[in-house]
Amino acid sequence: MRLAILLSGRGSNFAAIQDAIVRGELDAEIVCVISNRPNAAGIERARALGLTAHVIDHRSFDSREAHESEVLRVLADARPDFIALAGYMRLLSPAFIAAYPMRILNIHPSLLPAFPGVDAQAQAIAYGVKVSGCTVHLVDENLDAGPIIVQRVVAVRDDDDASSLSARILDEEHIAYVDALKKLAEGGYRIDGRRVVPA
Ligand code: GRF
């Protein structure tokens, strides 16, 4: 599986994916890492690993379309089978998503459809749920809404705040993303409406 990674920050999910590849647990090759932020720790890591790393700073472009078309140009060169959004803090336009239908994955730090959007962990604390978790899903034109590949659950403790809950969810994110990519790399699945089921 040829895999492209899009990120904007820390890059711990990217690191977990890369580690799984090195361990031989995930049969994939990271063909490019793209960051829209020049100082993202994730892009530094990609460079240090000798991976093909591109900074495509959205602030250098006049419009969302212009930025996206440069990202699409770089992706076209890299020829990924799948694109993993790993903390990529840009909304993708319908045209971008249409270029890779059901081939873009995202990870979200809640059990979707609960708490889409930003600050999902703080939303979970504020709502008072007793469990939360993470979701890896395929990306469609709606925010945090495409077919779900993997979810993992964590308990919400009485003394949790957004930060402690985020840390506990993040540990599960790293497992969930690798599991989801393994499913896709191994094939043998089909998408039936919203459901990702064995073929
Ligand atoms: C994760 O919490 C992920 O769920 C969300 O953004 C964060 C990215 O973290 N989409 P990292 O950059 O992978 O460490």
Side-chain angles (χ1 to χ4, degrees):
M1 175 171 63
R2 296 172 65 82
L3 185 63
I5 307 271
L6 268 56
L7 53 77
S8 301
R10 180 175 57 186
S12 72
N13 279 287
F14 155 54
I17 293 164
Q18 163 69 15
D19 289 348
I21 294 171
V22 170
R23 285 198 306 274
E25 198 186 310
L26 173 62
D27 185 11
E29 178 193 356
I30 296 178
V31 292
C32 77
V33 182
I34 299 174
S35 173
N36 65 307
R37 293 199 177 276
N39 301 322
I43 205 76
E44 301 295 340
R45 183 183 178 97
R47 286 202 191 99
L49 289 165
L51 296 173
T52 304
H54 299 266
V55 171
I56 307 175
D57 188 340
H58 60 282
R59 293 166 304 185
S60 314
F61 295 82
D62 289 340
S63 64
R64 176 178 301 276
E65 292 68 34
H67 177 251
E68 281 195 346
S69 66
E70 178 60 9
V71 175
L72 284 170
R73 194 191 60 74
V74 169
L75 286 172
D77 280 349
R79 291 181 294 108
D81 298 310
F82 289 96
I83 299 167
L85 308 181
Y88 187 61
M89 302 306 286
R90 302 280 299 166
L91 290 175
L92 300 179
S93 71
F96 189 107
I97 294 161
Y100 293 93
M102 294 297 131
R103 288 164 61 198
I104 306 174
L105 293 83
N106 183 43
I107 187 155
H108 184 77
S110 75
L111 295 175
L112 291 171
F115 314 128
V118 294
D119 295 332
Q121 304 94 331
Q123 291 185 56
I125 296 282
Y127 200 92
V129 292
K130 301 300 185 192
V131 294
S132 189
C134 62
T135 304
V136 183
H137 65 94
L138 293 163
V139 172
D140 67 12
E141 59 285 350
N142 299 309
L143 179 69
D144 296 332
I148 291 170
I149 309 169
V150 168
Q151 292 187 302
R152 290 182 70 88
V153 178
V154 307
V156 180
R157 297 183 188 152
D158 294 339
D159 60 354
D160 265 335
D161 58 16
S163 157
S164 61
L165 179 60
S166 297
R168 196 170 321 112
I169 292 174
L170 192 64
D171 287 341
E172 300 303 318
E173 290 185 35
H174 298 158
I175 300 168
Y177 224 148
V178 171
D179 281 353
L181 287 166
K182 272 200 245 177
K183 271 198 189 183
L184 298 189
E186 286 162 10
Y189 70 92
R190 68 190 164 85
I191 300 164
D192 177 11
R194 290 201 40 83
R195 305 184 73 204
V196 179
V197 291

PDB file of all heavy atoms in Angstrom, residues 9-14 86-89 106-109 121 170 173-174, ligand 1:
ATOM      1  N   GLY A   9       0.845  19.214  12.588  1.00  0.00           N
ATOM      2  CA  GLY A   9       1.435  19.467  13.906  1.00  0.00           C
ATOM      3  C   GLY A   9       2.345  18.375  14.401  1.00  0.00           C
ATOM      4  O   GLY A   9       3.237  17.923  13.696  1.00  0.00           O
ATOM      5  N   ARG A  10       2.051  17.974  15.619  1.00  0.00           N
ATOM      6  CA  ARG A  10       2.879  17.033  16.381  1.00  0.00           C
ATOM      7  C   ARG A  10       3.245  15.769  15.605  1.00  0.00           C
ATOM      8  O   ARG A  10       4.374  15.300  15.646  1.00  0.00           O
ATOM      9  CB  ARG A  10       2.049  16.701  17.626  1.00  0.00           C
ATOM     10  CG  ARG A  10       2.612  15.767  18.605  1.00  0.00           C
ATOM     11  CD  ARG A  10       1.668  15.700  19.791  1.00  0.00           C
ATOM     12  NE  ARG A  10       0.306  15.303  19.377  1.00  0.00           N
ATOM     13  CZ  ARG A  10      -0.737  15.280  20.186  1.00  0.00           C
ATOM     14  NH1 ARG A  10      -0.611  15.643  21.446  1.00  0.00           N
ATOM     15  NH2 ARG A  10      -1.924  14.894  19.727  1.00  0.00           N
ATOM     16  N   GLY A  11       2.269  15.174  14.956  1.00  0.00           N
ATOM     17  CA  GLY A  11       2.571  14.008  14.123  1.00  0.00           C
ATOM     18  C   GLY A  11       2.725  12.708  14.878  1.00  0.00           C
ATOM     19  O   GLY A  11       3.386  11.790  14.387  1.00  0.00           O
ATOM     20  N   SER A  12       2.085  12.573  16.035  1.00  0.00           N
ATOM     21  CA  SER A  12       2.250  11.308  16.763  1.00  0.00           C
ATOM     22  C   SER A  12       1.530  10.158  16.060  1.00  0.00           C
ATOM     23  O   SER A  12       1.983   9.009  16.132  1.00  0.00           O
ATOM     24  CB  SER A  12       1.785  11.440  18.218  1.00  0.00           C
ATOM     25  OG  SER A  12       0.389  11.538  18.298  1.00  0.00           O
ATOM     26  N   ASN A  13       0.430  10.442  15.380  1.00  0.00           N
ATOM     27  CA  ASN A  13      -0.227   9.368  14.621  1.00  0.00           C
ATOM     28  C   ASN A  13       0.631   8.940  13.435  1.00  0.00           C
ATOM     29  O   ASN A  13       0.772   7.740  13.163  1.00  0.00           O
ATOM     30  CB  ASN A  13      -1.623   9.798  14.170  1.00  0.00           C
ATOM     31  CG  ASN A  13      -2.636   9.643  15.277  1.00  0.00           C
ATOM     32  OD1 ASN A  13      -3.029   8.522  15.610  1.00  0.00           O
ATOM     33  ND2 ASN A  13      -3.045  10.747  15.877  1.00  0.00           N
ATOM     34  N   PHE A  14       1.208   9.895  12.746  1.00  0.00           N
ATOM     35  CA  PHE A  14       2.172   9.568  11.680  1.00  0.00           C
ATOM     36  C   PHE A  14       3.294   8.696  12.235  1.00  0.00           C
ATOM     37  O   PHE A  14       3.659   7.668  11.633  1.00  0.00           O
ATOM     38  CB  PHE A  14       2.714  10.869  11.066  1.00  0.00           C
ATOM     39  CG  PHE A  14       4.060  10.755  10.429  1.00  0.00           C
ATOM     40  CD1 PHE A  14       4.316   9.800   9.456  1.00  0.00           C
ATOM     41  CD2 PHE A  14       5.098  11.605  10.811  1.00  0.00           C
ATOM     42  CE1 PHE A  14       5.580   9.686   8.866  1.00  0.00           C
ATOM     43  CE2 PHE A  14       6.351  11.499  10.232  1.00  0.00           C
ATOM     44  CZ  PHE A  14       6.595  10.532   9.268  1.00  0.00           C
ATOM     45  N   ALA A  86      -3.580  12.997   9.364  1.00  0.00           N
ATOM     46  CA  ALA A  86      -3.076  12.710  10.711  1.00  0.00           C
ATOM     47  C   ALA A  86      -2.862  14.038  11.425  1.00  0.00           C
ATOM     48  O   ALA A  86      -1.752  14.571  11.470  1.00  0.00           O
ATOM     49  CB  ALA A  86      -1.783  11.899  10.616  1.00  0.00           C
ATOM     50  N   GLY A  87      -3.965  14.591  11.914  1.00  0.00           N
ATOM     51  CA  GLY A  87      -3.885  15.913  12.525  1.00  0.00           C
ATOM     52  C   GLY A  87      -3.695  16.991  11.469  1.00  0.00           C
ATOM     53  O   GLY A  87      -2.940  17.940  11.669  1.00  0.00           O
ATOM     54  N   TYR A  88      -4.391  16.836  10.335  1.00  0.00           N
ATOM     55  CA  TYR A  88      -4.313  17.842   9.266  1.00  0.00           C
ATOM     56  C   TYR A  88      -5.441  18.835   9.496  1.00  0.00           C
ATOM     57  O   TYR A  88      -6.618  18.482   9.397  1.00  0.00           O
ATOM     58  CB  TYR A  88      -4.454  17.173   7.903  1.00  0.00           C
ATOM     59  CG  TYR A  88      -4.215  18.088   6.720  1.00  0.00           C
ATOM     60  CD1 TYR A  88      -2.982  18.713   6.547  1.00  0.00           C
ATOM     61  CD2 TYR A  88      -5.201  18.302   5.757  1.00  0.00           C
ATOM     62  CE1 TYR A  88      -2.755  19.544   5.453  1.00  0.00           C
ATOM     63  CE2 TYR A  88      -4.979  19.117   4.665  1.00  0.00           C
ATOM     64  CZ  TYR A  88      -3.746  19.739   4.514  1.00  0.00           C
ATOM     65  OH  TYR A  88      -3.518  20.549   3.427  1.00  0.00           O
ATOM     66  N   MET A  89      -5.083  20.063   9.843  1.00  0.00           N
ATOM     67  CA  MET A  89      -6.063  21.027  10.331  1.00  0.00           C
ATOM     68  C   MET A  89      -6.604  21.919   9.213  1.00  0.00           C
ATOM     69  O   MET A  89      -6.756  23.133   9.375  1.00  0.00           O
ATOM     70  CB  MET A  89      -5.452  21.886  11.453  1.00  0.00           C
ATOM     71  CG  MET A  89      -4.940  21.078  12.634  1.00  0.00           C
ATOM     72  SD  MET A  89      -6.177  19.961  13.323  1.00  0.00           S
ATOM     73  CE  MET A  89      -7.204  21.159  14.166  1.00  0.00           C
ATOM     74  N   ASN A 106      -9.352   9.605   7.936  1.00  0.00           N
ATOM     75  CA  ASN A 106      -9.154  10.609   8.976  1.00  0.00           C
ATOM     76  C   ASN A 106      -9.273   9.929  10.325  1.00  0.00           C
ATOM     77  O   ASN A 106      -9.936   8.901  10.457  1.00  0.00           O
ATOM     78  CB  ASN A 106     -10.217  11.708   8.863  1.00  0.00           C
ATOM     79  CG  ASN A 106     -10.008  12.820   9.873  1.00  0.00           C
ATOM     80  OD1 ASN A 106      -8.870  13.269  10.090  1.00  0.00           O
ATOM     81  ND2 ASN A 106     -11.070  13.264  10.508  1.00  0.00           N
ATOM     82  N   ILE A 107      -8.610  10.519  11.333  1.00  0.00           N
ATOM     83  CA  ILE A 107      -8.819  10.064  12.703  1.00  0.00           C
ATOM     84  C   ILE A 107      -9.393  11.208  13.505  1.00  0.00           C
ATOM     85  O   ILE A 107      -8.980  12.359  13.363  1.00  0.00           O
ATOM     86  CB  ILE A 107      -7.521   9.504  13.334  1.00  0.00           C
ATOM     87  CG1 ILE A 107      -7.847   8.884  14.693  1.00  0.00           C
ATOM     88  CG2 ILE A 107      -6.422  10.558  13.422  1.00  0.00           C
ATOM     89  CD1 ILE A 107      -6.878   7.818  15.119  1.00  0.00           C
ATOM     90  N   HIS A 108     -10.382  10.853  14.328  1.00  0.00           N
ATOM     91  CA  HIS A 108     -11.072  11.875  15.120  1.00  0.00           C
ATOM     92  C   HIS A 108     -11.125  11.404  16.574  1.00  0.00           C
ATOM     93  O   HIS A 108     -11.457  10.242  16.829  1.00  0.00           O
ATOM     94  CB  HIS A 108     -12.480  12.101  14.563  1.00  0.00           C
ATOM     95  CG  HIS A 108     -13.201  13.190  15.275  1.00  0.00           C
ATOM     96  ND1 HIS A 108     -12.938  14.526  15.040  1.00  0.00           N
ATOM     97  CD2 HIS A 108     -14.138  13.158  16.251  1.00  0.00           C
ATOM     98  CE1 HIS A 108     -13.697  15.263  15.824  1.00  0.00           C
ATOM     99  NE2 HIS A 108     -14.432  14.454  16.581  1.00  0.00           N
ATOM    100  N   PRO A 109     -10.844  12.308  17.529  1.00  0.00           N
ATOM    101  CA  PRO A 109     -10.745  11.868  18.924  1.00  0.00           C
ATOM    102  C   PRO A 109     -12.079  11.836  19.675  1.00  0.00           C
ATOM    103  O   PRO A 109     -12.198  12.406  20.762  1.00  0.00           O
ATOM    104  CB  PRO A 109      -9.771  12.883  19.526  1.00  0.00           C
ATOM    105  CG  PRO A 109     -10.004  14.123  18.737  1.00  0.00           C
ATOM    106  CD  PRO A 109     -10.355  13.675  17.336  1.00  0.00           C
ATOM    107  N   GLN A 121     -12.546  16.268  22.666  1.00  0.00           N
ATOM    108  CA  GLN A 121     -12.359  15.734  24.022  1.00  0.00           C
ATOM    109  C   GLN A 121     -12.996  16.671  25.048  1.00  0.00           C
ATOM    110  O   GLN A 121     -13.622  16.204  26.011  1.00  0.00           O
ATOM    111  CB  GLN A 121     -10.857  15.559  24.312  1.00  0.00           C
ATOM    112  CG  GLN A 121     -10.114  14.687  23.298  1.00  0.00           C
ATOM    113  CD  GLN A 121      -9.454  15.465  22.175  1.00  0.00           C
ATOM    114  OE1 GLN A 121      -9.903  16.558  21.779  1.00  0.00           O
ATOM    115  NE2 GLN A 121      -8.361  14.923  21.650  1.00  0.00           N
ATOM    116  N   LEU A 170      -5.385   9.428  22.873  1.00  0.00           N
ATOM    117  CA  LEU A 170      -4.277   9.412  21.891  1.00  0.00           C
ATOM    118  C   LEU A 170      -3.590   8.048  21.844  1.00  0.00           C
ATOM    119  O   LEU A 170      -3.237   7.558  20.763  1.00  0.00           O
ATOM    120  CB  LEU A 170      -3.274  10.528  22.216  1.00  0.00           C
ATOM    121  CG  LEU A 170      -2.235  10.806  21.136  1.00  0.00           C
ATOM    122  CD1 LEU A 170      -2.875  11.317  19.835  1.00  0.00           C
ATOM    123  CD2 LEU A 170      -1.194  11.828  21.635  1.00  0.00           C
ATOM    124  N   GLU A 173      -5.651   6.054  19.700  1.00  0.00           N
ATOM    125  CA  GLU A 173      -5.583   6.510  18.307  1.00  0.00           C
ATOM    126  C   GLU A 173      -4.455   5.798  17.567  1.00  0.00           C
ATOM    127  O   GLU A 173      -4.600   5.387  16.415  1.00  0.00           O
ATOM    128  CB  GLU A 173      -5.344   8.025  18.240  1.00  0.00           C
ATOM    129  CG  GLU A 173      -6.515   8.871  18.684  1.00  0.00           C
ATOM    130  CD  GLU A 173      -6.263  10.352  18.470  1.00  0.00           C
ATOM    131  OE1 GLU A 173      -5.601  10.726  17.480  1.00  0.00           O
ATOM    132  OE2 GLU A 173      -6.710  11.160  19.304  1.00  0.00           O
ATOM    133  N   HIS A 174      -3.327   5.682  18.263  1.00  0.00           N
ATOM    134  CA  HIS A 174      -2.144   5.112  17.601  1.00  0.00           C
ATOM    135  C   HIS A 174      -2.385   3.658  17.215  1.00  0.00           C
ATOM    136  O   HIS A 174      -1.920   3.195  16.175  1.00  0.00           O
ATOM    137  CB  HIS A 174      -0.914   5.267  18.497  1.00  0.00           C
ATOM    138  CG  HIS A 174      -0.591   6.697  18.772  1.00  0.00           C
ATOM    139  ND1 HIS A 174       0.154   7.104  19.842  1.00  0.00           N
ATOM    140  CD2 HIS A 174      -0.925   7.841  18.101  1.00  0.00           C
ATOM    141  CE1 HIS A 174       0.265   8.424  19.825  1.00  0.00           C
ATOM    142  NE2 HIS A 174      -0.379   8.893  18.778  1.00  0.00           N
TER     143      HIS A 174
HETATM  144  C1  GRF B   1      -5.278  13.745  17.157  1.00  0.00           C
HETATM  145  O1  GRF B   1      -5.928  13.878  18.385  1.00  0.00           O
HETATM  146  C2  GRF B   1      -6.281  13.425  16.076  1.00  0.00           C
HETATM  147  O2  GRF B   1      -7.358  12.662  16.523  1.00  0.00           O
HETATM  148  C3  GRF B   1      -6.767  14.784  15.668  1.00  0.00           C
HETATM  149  O3  GRF B   1      -5.621  15.604  15.733  1.00  0.00           O
HETATM  150  C4  GRF B   1      -4.689  15.056  16.667  1.00  0.00           C
HETATM  151  C5  GRF B   1      -3.402  14.855  15.927  1.00  0.00           C
HETATM  152  O4  GRF B   1      -2.357  14.441  16.783  1.00  0.00           O
HETATM  153  N1  GRF B   1      -7.383  14.732  14.363  1.00  0.00           N
HETATM  154  P1  GRF B   1      -0.943  14.054  16.166  1.00  0.00           P
HETATM  155  O5  GRF B   1      -0.478  15.268  15.357  1.00  0.00           O
HETATM  156  O6  GRF B   1      -1.112  12.847  15.318  1.00  0.00           O
HETATM  157  O7  GRF B   1      -0.056  13.824  17.349  1.00  0.00           O
END
